[in-house]
Amino acid sequence: MTLEIIGIFVLWTFLFGYLVVASIDFGAGFFNAYSLLTGKQRILTNIIQRYLSPVWEVTNVFLVFFFVGIIGFFPKTAFYYGTTLLVPASIALILLAIRGSYYAFETYGSRGHKGYSFMYGLAGLFIPAALSIVLTISEGGFVHMINESPTLDYEALFTSPLTWSIVVLSLSSVLYISSVFLTWYANKAGDLDATRLMRKYALIWALPTIITAGGIMVELRSHNLEHYENMLDIWWAFALSLLLFIGTVWLLWSKRSYGLAFVLLGGQFLIAFFSYGFAHLPYLLYPHLTIYDSFTNEAMAIALIVAFIAGLALLIPSLYLLLRLFLFNKDYVRGKKENNHA
Amino acid sequence: MMNEESVFFSRVLTELTLSFHIIYATIGVGVPLMIMIAQWVGIKKNDEHYILLARRWARGFVITVAVGVVTGTAIGMQLSLLWPNFMELAGNIIALPLFMETFAFFFEAIFLGIYLYTWDRFENQKKHLLLLIPVAVGASFSAVFITIVNAFMNAPQGFDVLNGELVNISPLLAMFNPAMPTKVAHVVVTAYMTSAFVLAAIAAFRLLKGSNHIYHKKALFLTMKVGLVFSIATAIIGDFSGKYLAEYQPEKLAAAEWHFETEESAPLILYGILDDGEVKYAIEIPFALSILAHFNPTAEVIGLDQFPADETPPLYIHYLFDIMVTIGMSMVVLSGLYWLGTKLKWAFVNSKWYRWLIVLGGPASIIAIEAGWWLAEVGRQPWILRGIMRVEDAATTSPHVDIMLILFAGLYLVLGIGSIVVLTRMFRKNPVEQEIEDRHVEKGGDIL
């Protein structure tokens, strides 16, 4: 393995981590708002808050890690993506800022503002949409070099079916991942009503997720043939991912092993995400930028990898402790100590 | 043409984001240490007032952390969005500390979550204290790493430029640049100092507003004592920073001091105004600049005459220097007198007017932080990387920066108002007298 591959592998892993934790977060916010609207908030709010409160800050770090890391390993991305993404990324940032800070304001300050809950829920859907534009742009055809500086063609971007398919996929997979996770979490908490409701949402959102995922592959054929063909070369990985998807839905349908269902879902997205990324190689931005021509110097690459390993040695035990204390702690999950937060 | 506009708005937006962020970031670096000290004193003295102090600070701290985190994320991404050419270059040389900063931040985030949600899960308060150590360490180390990046911008090293290409890159040499020791020390220590004085201002304010509880008196004495220690440290490190500037960045020192001609036995100019190139109404302390710069009253100090006009920073930074130093020195005196006065039982340190001065000290310390950062940043104009890359060559070419500036300004307004409203409501609704009473009713209970 070359250093370039290690670098992109590390970053892709963190992006995957962000995808999962942020999906749970964004989806939970949406379901919370939706349950308020339909008068079901008594069922869901407790479960959602108990999970989100200790981890909301950690979620954000995954994203920061990714965008700082990519500048470190592939400094040229700053030039291409930094220039083109000013508007979509700024909008995502503003939404993230409102969402993150107001979560804290609400949870630790004063509770129960309805209008805010709706805004919170909606912002959670706009953020993945704004961020997923990066995936569309990376397929090529939307960035043109004008006077030696990359410029984003907004018209082409907004009229492309690929853009909208990726947006729909990001939305439905956010809701799907989140609902499967919350089904499991609610079940662990022994909260039957919440389990029932979340299971229903999970089954509803499974279908659009898999349909758009398939649709995007077809669209790529006309948009970026090279990527499409690379994906066909590893069709078996996508088939495996599909099998895991079927497994998750089947477990949910037959109301058993929700924990295993979430693990299968994780496997499904992991395989699909890495296969998609692998097929995209060597391009970071088709056809302007590959991982080879944008890679940092060797001294920095080695320093970053050393820092990364040292950092993980510190983080993994800490994350494990966090999960032990909250996610896998029966008393905490069931809310035995209702009032023990700040 | 268009790009000139983008450069201007990129500068304004970066300045706005950073100026807003450092208020919360400074508190974010300093307050965990204060919480840790209070918790530790509480355990050592077996005094529940200090434990309660730690809890109440921690609860307010969460709100400031939230704003600090989201604005920090904003500036992190804005660096690439607004200064793509700079980040492309910097990514090659200085990515290591940027990367390490996220680890420190991650570490802090994990343990802060655990700390906040385990108030009464551990029988032993000492265990709970242990959780605060990674929070405080993570917070301080994020400041250390990010300041290293800034220090590099002031004193770039660790690479060679050969035919426009970067060669012989050494990430460690870039990190341990000459600006790093004084910058890092100054940033961390002033963050501790400012947090201590902000918390002191709150305690003094409660005492003025009718509450006469011993809790606030303990809080005030503790924070003023810690503030005194760190403000003295700040002054000493500030002096080292002056010596660093004289050696490595003389144009910044010369602009800050209105030192136009290179000369020996240079006087220090305090205050005054600049009118058509003429300094008026200033206080001149003979030899002081030579002492500040080289620890030698007759040493030669390089003046602005040694630099081409398009490479000298704007002269208004002198005012920023005055503000920063004046506030810093006043805080040493204010906290020193308070500490001495309490020990020797002087009545005036408990008088109303003195407490009002302490209340003022909180916001004043934050103003000093802002002035200090503006001085440091504007003082290296026109460079983004001193001697290597000019600001106008680093900015984005995107024409939409002005709209983004408006959007972000709106965001910071909302966040600023929001955090103030939530914080005041949080503590007004639940004054400390009430909380102590509640705790007694529940007998060691879960009322937080």
Side-chain angles (χ1 to χ4, degrees):
Chain A
M1 255 205 305
T2 59
L3 287 173
E4 287 89 343
I5 298 287
I6 296 177
I8 195 69
F9 183 77
V10 164
L11 295 172
W12 205 240
T13 308
F14 265 85
L15 195 58
F16 178 74
Y18 182 66
L19 186 106
V20 174
V21 290
S23 291
I24 294 173
D25 184 357
F26 295 149
F30 176 78
F31 288 127
N32 192 35
Y34 182 72
S35 66
L36 254 175
L37 196 72
T38 51
K40 290 176 186 154
Q41 85 267 33
R42 291 202 164 277
I43 306 177
L44 289 185
T45 302
N46 266 337
I47 287 288
I48 289 174
Q49 291 242 330
R50 215 173 297 142
Y51 164 73
L52 283 184
S53 300
V55 301
W56 68 268
E57 213 191 338
V58 174
T59 309
N60 226 21
V61 188
F62 278 92
L63 178 66
V64 176
F65 203 104
F66 175 75
F67 71 69
V68 169
I70 198 163
I71 303 299
F73 280 106
F74 305 99
K76 278 210 174 75
T77 52
F79 175 64
Y80 286 93
Y81 281 112
T83 311
T84 48
L85 286 177
L86 177 71
V87 176
S90 293
I91 291 172
L93 268 179
I94 289 171
L95 291 172
L96 270 176
I98 293 182
R99 204 171 176 279
S101 54
Y102 272 74
Y103 181 75
F105 290 1
E106 278 283 314
T107 316
Y108 308 104
S110 48
R111 279 163 203 266
H113 193 274
K114 260 196 175 181
Y116 152 73
S117 295
F118 291 128
M119 221 176 67
Y120 184 75
L122 275 182
L125 294 188
F126 283 120
I127 296 166
L131 290 178
S132 64
I133 283 183
V134 182
L135 289 180
T136 321
I137 291 173
S138 75
E139 293 297 337
F142 304 111
V143 173
H144 305 291
M145 298 302 285
I146 298 173
N147 295 333
E148 282 179 52
S149 80
T151 309
L152 184 59
D153 183 347
Y154 283 97
E155 202 191 318
L157 184 67
F158 285 115
T159 51
S160 163
L162 183 67
T163 311
W164 297 107
S165 314
I166 290 183
V167 167
V168 173
L169 177 65
S170 71
L171 289 185
S172 70
S173 48
V174 158
L175 296 173
Y176 177 55
I177 293 174
S178 175
S179 53
V180 174
F181 173 82
L182 289 170
T183 307
W184 171 53
Y185 195 72
N187 187 51
K188 250 182 90 113
D191 188 337
L192 291 179
D193 290 335
T195 313
R196 203 175 300 139
L197 194 61
M198 289 322 299
R199 174 180 164 271
K200 196 176 89 187
Y201 292 149
L203 289 170
I204 290 174
W205 288 104
L207 199 63
T209 303
I210 203 72
I211 290 176
T212 43
I216 285 167
M217 289 186 74
V218 178
E219 276 160 38
L220 273 182
R221 191 178 162 175
S222 57
H223 193 87
N224 182 339
L225 192 64
E226 202 178 324
H227 192 190
Y228 174 74
E229 280 171 352
N230 286 341
M231 275 161 71
L232 278 195
D233 285 345
I234 45 167
W235 63 270
W236 47 269
F238 291 98
L240 187 62
S241 173
L242 183 69
L243 278 180
L244 290 174
F245 169 78
I246 294 169
T248 312
V249 174
W250 183 71
L251 284 174
L252 285 172
W253 187 261
S254 48
K255 294 188 190 170
R256 58 177 151 181
S257 315
Y258 293 131
L260 182 62
F262 184 68
V263 171
L264 293 187
L265 169 125
Q268 174 211 336
F269 276 90
L270 185 83
I271 292 170
F273 191 71
F274 273 87
S275 313
Y276 172 89
F278 180 73
H280 200 277
L281 287 180
Y283 291 103
L284 286 173
L285 173 63
Y286 185 89
H288 302 290
L289 197 61
T290 70
I291 57 169
Y292 299 104
D293 58 33
S294 65
F295 198 59
T296 185
N297 55 86
E298 199 179 310
M300 181 53 80
I302 291 169
L304 286 178
I305 289 169
V306 170
F308 178 74
I309 291 168
L312 277 192
L314 195 69
L315 282 187
I316 290 174
S318 323
L319 268 176
Y320 174 74
L321 183 65
L322 184 77
L323 294 178
R324 263 294 297 274
L325 283 172
F326 298 108
L327 207 51
F328 301 125
N329 184 293
K330 273 215 170 98
D331 286 346
Y332 177 79
V333 174
R334 293 198 176 142
K336 280 249 171 77
K337 285 197 169 176
E338 270 291 334
N339 299 318
N340 63 353
H341 56 73
Chain B
M1 235 5 239
M2 190 141 85
N3 204 37
E4 242 165 65
E5 230 168 58
S6 293
V7 173
F8 174 75
F9 286 119
S10 295
R11 287 180 60 177
V12 178
L13 179 49
T14 308
E15 181 171 6
L16 180 71
T17 303
L18 277 174
S19 300
F20 188 73
H21 174 65
I22 55 172
I23 298 174
Y24 294 88
T26 302
I27 293 172
V29 171
V31 170
L33 183 79
M34 298 299 300
I35 299 174
M36 204 169 94
I37 292 173
Q39 183 106 355
W40 181 63
V41 171
I43 292 171
K44 216 182 64 174
K45 290 190 175 174
N46 199 14
D47 183 338
E48 70 169 312
H49 283 142
Y50 288 100
I51 305 271
L52 189 63
L53 196 60
R55 291 191 178 202
R56 285 174 70 88
W57 283 345
R59 252 182 291 153
F61 177 63
V62 185
I63 303 298
T64 58
V65 162
V67 180
V69 167
V70 295
T71 52
T73 310
I75 187 63
M77 218 187 249
Q78 275 177 1
L79 281 179
S80 304
L81 296 174
L82 299 174
W83 311 100
N85 298 306
F86 163 67
M87 284 305 273
E88 187 189 342
L89 184 73
N92 278 303
I93 313 158
I94 200 74
L96 184 62
L98 266 178
F99 198 61
M100 286 159 90
E101 200 262 320
T102 55
F103 275 116
F105 173 35
F106 214 145
F107 196 52
E108 182 197 350
I110 290 173
F111 281 94
L112 183 64
I114 298 177
Y115 176 75
L116 289 173
Y117 284 83
T118 50
W119 284 120
D120 295 304
R121 253 158 89 174
F122 300 112
E123 286 294 312
N124 189 346
Q125 277 292 326
K126 275 186 193 150
K127 274 192 191 164
H128 203 221
L129 174 67
L130 286 181
L131 288 172
L132 272 172
I133 296 171
V135 178
V137 167
S140 295
F141 269 89
S142 337
V144 168
F145 290 129
I146 210 65
T147 312
I148 288 177
V149 177
N150 182 270
F152 171 80
M153 294 163 83
N154 280 280
Q157 67 166 36
F159 62 96
D160 295 313
V161 184
L162 199 73
N163 303 330
E165 300 254 327
L166 297 169
V167 291
N168 297 334
I169 288 164
S170 161
L172 287 178
L173 211 58
M175 276 177 74
F176 294 98
N177 58 68
M180 176 249 175
T182 44
K183 274 238 171 204
V184 167
H186 198 66
V187 165
V188 172
V189 168
T190 50
Y192 295 155
M193 163 190 159
T194 304
S195 304
F197 287 134
V198 167
L199 295 171
I202 296 171
F205 187 73
R206 290 308 308 153
L207 285 170
L208 278 166
K209 286 287 159 188
S211 170
N212 207 22
H213 204 283
I214 182 80
Y215 165 92
H216 295 303
K217 288 180 183 159
K218 285 176 182 168
L220 187 59
F221 187 66
L222 177 70
T223 49
M224 288 299 269
K225 200 162 76 177
V226 174
L228 173 64
V229 171
F230 286 118
S231 56
I232 292 172
T234 299
I236 295 169
I237 296 163
D239 181 62
F240 287 137
S241 305
K243 292 180 174 43
Y244 158 77
L245 286 180
E247 186 77 29
Y248 293 92
Q249 247 177 316
E251 76 278 18
K252 191 191 272 186
L253 185 69
E257 290 304 331
W258 289 344
H259 184 59
F260 300 107
E261 312 282 331
T262 304
E263 60 179 337
E264 293 171 4
S265 310
L268 184 73
I269 292 175
L270 274 181
Y271 313 113
I273 53 166
L274 198 62
D275 188 19
D276 267 341
E278 208 132 318
V279 181
K280 284 183 182 167
Y281 316 116
I283 303 172
E284 231 183 78
I285 309 173
F287 308 109
L289 186 59
S290 289
I291 296 175
L292 175 72
H294 300 290
F295 212 63
N296 172 2
T298 55
E300 182 185 83
V301 182
I302 297 170
L304 283 172
D305 55 351
Q306 303 288 316
F307 297 92
D310 70 334
E311 285 181 18
T312 52
L315 292 174
Y316 74 81
I317 61 172
H318 174 73
Y319 302 115
L320 299 172
F321 183 82
D322 283 346
I323 293 172
M324 174 183 85
V325 171
T326 308
I327 293 175
M329 285 303 162
S330 315
M331 292 314 292
V332 175
V333 174
L334 191 74
S335 54
L337 275 181
Y338 183 82
W339 178 77
L340 209 62
T342 313
K343 288 273 165 199
L344 301 177
K345 302 211 174 353
W346 293 341
F348 81 90
V349 293
N350 291 321
S351 67
K352 269 200 162 171
W353 65 268
Y354 205 79
R355 281 182 180 158
W356 274 118
L357 283 182
I358 296 172
V359 173
L360 269 177
S365 303
I366 289 179
I367 291 171
I369 293 271
E370 296 279 1
W373 269 115
W374 291 330
L375 164 68
E377 296 304 283
V378 179
R380 72 183 149 93
Q381 291 301 319
W383 304 106
I384 193 163
L385 270 180
R386 181 177 177 272
I388 312 251
M389 186 186 251
R390 292 175 74 101
V391 167
E392 58 265 30
D393 301 320
T396 180
T397 45
S398 170
H400 306 295
V401 188
D402 48 350
I403 308 165
M404 297 304 121
L405 173 63
I406 295 169
L407 287 180
F408 276 103
L411 170 71
Y412 303 144
L413 192 69
V414 170
L415 291 183
I417 295 173
S419 55
I420 292 168
V421 168
V422 170
L423 280 174
T424 37
R425 205 187 287 157
M426 192 186 237
F427 290 100
R428 198 161 284 163
K429 262 204 315 210
N430 188 16
V432 72
E433 290 83 358
Q434 181 72 42
E435 194 162 340
I436 291 172
E437 204 170 286
D438 289 347
R439 278 187 81 78
H440 281 292
V441 171
E442 300 215 357
K443 285 237 164 171
D446 288 346
I447 44 96
L448 288 170

